[in-house]
Amino acid sequence: MVTQKVQIINPTGLHLRPAGIFCQEAMKYTSSITFHYGASGTANAKSVLSVLGACIKSGDEIEIVCEGEDEEEALKALVALVENGFGE
């Protein structure tokens, strides 16, 4: 299992478009991928509804958690996606 905290920098947070991009990237990997947010929230990174339900705003910090055979690659790709602001 690998984890990394990352701050959401795009101005609109994880609204529909970036949430969709995030989920599409997560679905490329066989690993289980979730993220922790707030005091005790956890969201499935492969579910758009779960990601949208987290209500992540710009400036919020999430901790991406990957567990499985391609966990290192998945974490690296998702962190890069977030750090690049989902192309916004």
Side-chain angles (χ1 to χ4, degrees):
M1 179 172 74
V2 293
T3 70
Q4 184 172 338
K5 290 184 179 180
V6 63
Q7 185 174 21
I8 304 300
I9 61 167
N10 59 311
T12 55
L14 283 179
H15 64 85
L16 187 57
R17 193 185 71 75
I21 292 169
F22 190 75
C23 292
Q24 284 179 342
E25 186 65 31
M27 287 189 282
K28 293 179 182 177
Y29 303 94
T30 59
S31 294
S32 168
I33 305 171
T34 60
F35 65 87
H36 300 294
Y37 61 94
S40 61
T42 301
N44 177 355
K46 295 182 179 184
S47 165
V48 173
L49 291 177
S50 184
V51 173
L52 288 173
C55 298
I56 304 299
K57 296 173 181 46
S58 182
D60 288 353
E61 184 177 75
I62 62 172
E63 181 178 18
I64 302 171
V65 180
C66 302
E67 187 171 3
E69 60 187 47
D70 54 2
E71 61 189 23
E72 295 280 346
E73 300 162 47
L75 182 65
K76 184 177 178 180
L78 290 170
V79 167
L81 187 63
V82 172
E83 287 179 342
N84 290 326
F86 302 96
E88 290 188 336

